[in-house]
Structure formats: C-alpha cells, structure tokens
Amino acid sequence: MPHAPAVTEPAGPAPLRAKRGSRLVGEATVPGDKSISHRALMIGALAVGETRIEGLLEGEDVLNTGRALEKLGVEVGRTGPGAWRVHGVGIGGLTEPSDVLDFGNAGTGARLMMGVLAGHAFTSIMTGDASLRRRPMNRVIEPLREVGARFVTREGGRLPLAMVGAANPIPIRYRLPVASAQVKSAVLFAGLSAPGETIVIEPEPSRDHTELMLRHFGARVEVRAGEGKGEHAIVLGGQPELEARHIRVPGDISSAAFPLAAALLVPGSEVTLRNVGINPLRTGLLDTLGEMGATISMETSGRTGAEPVADLRVRASALKGVHVPAERAPRMIDEYPILAALAACAEGTSRFDGLAELRVKESDRLAAIANGLKACGVAVEELKDGLIIEGRGRPPAGGGMIEAKLDHRIAMAFLVLGLVTVQPVVVDDGSPIATSFPDFVLLMTRLGASIEPA
Ligand code: S3P
C-alpha cells in the first residue's frame, strides 16, 4: 500500500479527558463502516479485475486487512482520502505469504481472512495485538476444519496460529451455535472455493453485509426461511466468478452512535449525521433509543450499492430506562458500551439481556462497562450475561479513571459520558480509538465537545 496514510505506532498509552462544556451543534460525516470496509477489500481481492472503493474506513483494523492482502499477493493502493483500488486475483488466486499476517486489534479481519484462506492450499501464520490474542478463534476453526483446512493454535484456539488451506475444499452445511456475522462470513468465504452449495443456518439473523456484497459481485446467495423454528439459512453457490465492482462504503452506524449519544445527552444539542448506513440488521440501537424517548429523525437518502443509507438528525432528549431483550442483541451488538452511558443518565432502571458475547469482544465489555460506570458513581449490577443500570434522570458524578482495556468502544463511550458528568472523566488510553474512528476527537470537538489529552 504505497499510498497508505503514514502509520505511527502509538508511543504508549494516550490518556484523554472529557468534561462538561458547550452544547453540540452542526453536521458531521462519520467514517466508513468497518464491517463493510473489511469485506470490500477481501471480496475485491477475490474478484477478477479492479475494484474501486470510496469511503473506505482508514482505521487501523481495516489497514491491517489491506496489509495482509498485500502479503497474499494482492495489489492494494490508495488514490485519495478513503479512495482505494484493489487488483483482484480471483478466487483461489492468493499466494503464500512470506511473513506473519498481523491483524492488530481486529477480530473481523482475522476471522474473515481465515475463511478466505481456508480455500487456498498454502500455509499462513496469523497474529494480532494482546486483545486479539486473547479472543476465541475455535468458533471459526471448527467449521473451517470441516471444509478441510488444518490449524495449529495456542491453547483454546488462540492466536498466533498457523493454518493450511484445503486443496479440495468441501462445501458444508453449518449451524451456527451463536449468532455471529464473523463466523457466518468465514464459512461463506470458504464456500467460495468449494464446489456445490455451502449452507449456513443462523439462530437469529446477524448483519448480512457479506451476503449483500457477494451478490453485488455476482455470486448466487439465497436466504431460505424456515429451515428450523425461527431460523434461516443462507445458501451460497460455490465457485462463482466474482466480477470487480465499484463500492461506496456508507458511514458506520456503530461510530455514528457516539456523536449521536453525545447530542442526546448534552442539553441544547442538535446534530445531523450524514450518510449513515441503516441496514436493518444494524439499527437495533435506533429502536432502543426510540423506546427511551430519544428525538431522532431519519431522512432516507437512498442506497449505496446494496446498503441503505440515511441522514440522522438528533436533538437532546430526556431519556427513560429501557429493557433490551436478548433477541435484539445481534442487531446492536457493538452498541452496548454507549447505550450503557445513556442508561446511566436516563430516568429509571435499564436492563440488557443475552449479552454473553460481550465477554469476548475487544475486551470483556460487561466487566469494562460495569467497572467504568462504578468509577463514575453509577449503581450497576453485572450479570453473567447482562447488565442492570440504575439511572437517576441526571448525569452521574464522574471523576473516574476508566481503563479502556485496548477497547475503542469502551474508550469512546466513557468520553461521551464525561461530556455530562459533574466531574470530568479520564480514559487511561485513547489510542485504540484509531482502530475504528481515527478522527473521533476532531469530529467531536468540531461539534463543540471538550475532549483533550489528559
Ligand atoms: C462483525 C460482527 C460482530 C461485531 C463486530 C463486527 C462483522 O461480531 O461485533 O464488531 O463485521 O462481521 P460477531 O460476529 O462476533 O458477533
């Protein structure tokens, strides 16, 4: 990636402080969707011809996917801000990397690439940062072994690992034990190299960016409802010819959630977030905020490729506590840290259920949220797979030092909370924010927020 933005390795932890200040006003465009950006690079690499991407997230997670693809023999180049070109090599056309593939903080990068590599008969060695090396990989390794790939991992299926892709990948029918778009996508990517139909059955629908993008590139992907009670099956026709396409990546609703929440909390705020992806499998937070009494209007502005987008206009609102049922979790799985900050300021008790998966995200998010809220003077109960948060209808005391635990969303959620707490909130390390939202502090301060180095 000769034209990639210069990457400066963070010299060490970069503490940030957020404090009460002026209201947030204005318009902003959040960075490109992280899930779609990873997929655009990978599917572009497996297509034949040159894929042009606009609005790619230039966060560390996605840049690491680009670097990994380069090591696998794909030409990936930057032509301008957010504008990238990928010279696809076709399915099966990747070549053995001569060095370790390092996915940094990115579970999506590592797991999806394992699926891509499961159908390439060579050896790859993968690693990541301290957070990623703790995260479970068996959920992808198990189905990919059925496809025919071989793995040697650390205890418990952790990175670093070595894998050898299958010379003759087998199309599988796989029932996901948990709703996970990463596992679903890894199996579908492996299925691209296999003859016949690969079938993934989900207990609950999870984000479908892989299915939509594969179709956009010419693959046959069907959804069959009713394979089992409440389940649905995704069926991929194997060995398609993927044709290079043009992709416009919508803004990431999971990043938009932070300025949106800040505007809800800080009295007098009014903010418009432009061109946000509103794929219905990602908008659980908007449903939940509606139930809490938030004033958010959506002006649909069409589609970019297969993905719906809209401008979101949000005004400061008095919020009430909410019960978020377990079934909604897959549609807002990354939004619980910021929802917890909102619940801490709302009137009444909030309860979030069915969140065992949060224990294996970039950090143990249930613990990180509970510890952070306690440090800010909020009454919170950490359940095995959920949270109960007591909101008092006014901002909590704050004043805490928050441990970000290498987790971008924990860092951003508590910085947003610090915009309304009585005392400022300090996050011990803001550097992980660069994985998904490199200009977070700039965007927030332009809207009026007070966030600065501590
Ligand atoms: C993602 C899926 C989700 C989500 C992650 C991105 C994806 O993970 O938490 O941030 O791009 O497929 P799971 O598949 O583990 O639920």
Side-chain angles (χ1 to χ4, degrees), residues 35 39 108 111 139 179-182 207 333-334 357 361:
S35 294
R39 287 159 173 81
T108 308
R111 293 186 178 130
R139 54 182 58 202
S180 164
Q182 293 179 355
R207 64 189 71 191
I333 194 67
D334 294 330
E357 275 296 296
K361 292 293 177 190

Side-chain angles (χ1 to χ4, degrees), residues 84-287:
W84 291 72
R85 282 173 190 219
V86 182
H87 294 267
V89 294
I91 293 165
L94 300 175
T95 50
E96 183 171 278
S98 59
D99 199 357
V100 175
L101 306 177
D102 187 345
F103 292 92
N105 195 249
T108 308
R111 293 186 178 130
L112 267 55
M113 195 67 89
M114 285 160 72
V116 168
L117 293 175
H120 286 82
F122 54 69
T123 303
S124 304
I125 298 170
M126 298 185 172
T127 193
D129 72 3
S131 155
L132 189 56
R133 281 182 271 120
R134 277 193 292 269
R135 297 180 66 185
M137 294 295 150
N138 278 338
R139 54 182 58 202
V140 237
I141 290 172
E142 278 161 18
L144 296 180
R145 279 195 170 127
E146 289 182 28
V147 171
R150 287 174 291 137
F151 293 84
V152 179
T153 73
R154 281 171 60 227
E155 175 84 47
R158 317 271 155 182
L159 296 177
L161 64 73
M163 69 176 286
V164 186
N168 296 302
I170 300 162
I172 62 168
R173 183 175 192 281
Y174 191 70
R175 187 180 293 273
L176 296 178
V178 286
S180 164
Q182 293 179 355
V183 181
K184 170 176 66 177
S185 301
V187 174
L188 293 176
F189 282 160
L192 290 173
S193 303
E197 287 186 341
T198 289
I199 303 177
V200 184
I201 301 157
E202 299 191 277
E204 299 276 347
S206 65
R207 64 189 71 191
D208 61 355
H209 307 303
T210 300
E211 297 91 306
L212 295 178
M213 201 181 291
L214 282 175
R215 252 189 233 136
H216 184 58
F217 278 71
R220 181 172 64 81
V221 184
E222 288 159 22
V223 179
R224 274 183 213 151
E227 277 255 334
K229 197 171 156 283
E231 295 177 331
H232 76 300
I234 295 107
V235 183
L236 168 79
Q239 300 179 336
E241 177 90 346
L242 299 179
E243 262 177 61
R245 300 303 295 259
H246 180 197
I247 298 176
R248 267 185 290 139
V249 180
D252 197 329
I253 192 165
S254 297
S255 297
F258 297 99
L260 187 135
L264 285 173
L265 287 181
V266 180
S269 296
E270 185 154 5
V271 165
T272 301
L273 299 164
R274 298 267 178 231
N275 193 40
V276 180
I278 50 157
N279 180 315
L281 293 170
R282 296 286 299 282
T283 50
L285 178 72
L286 298 181
D287 299 347

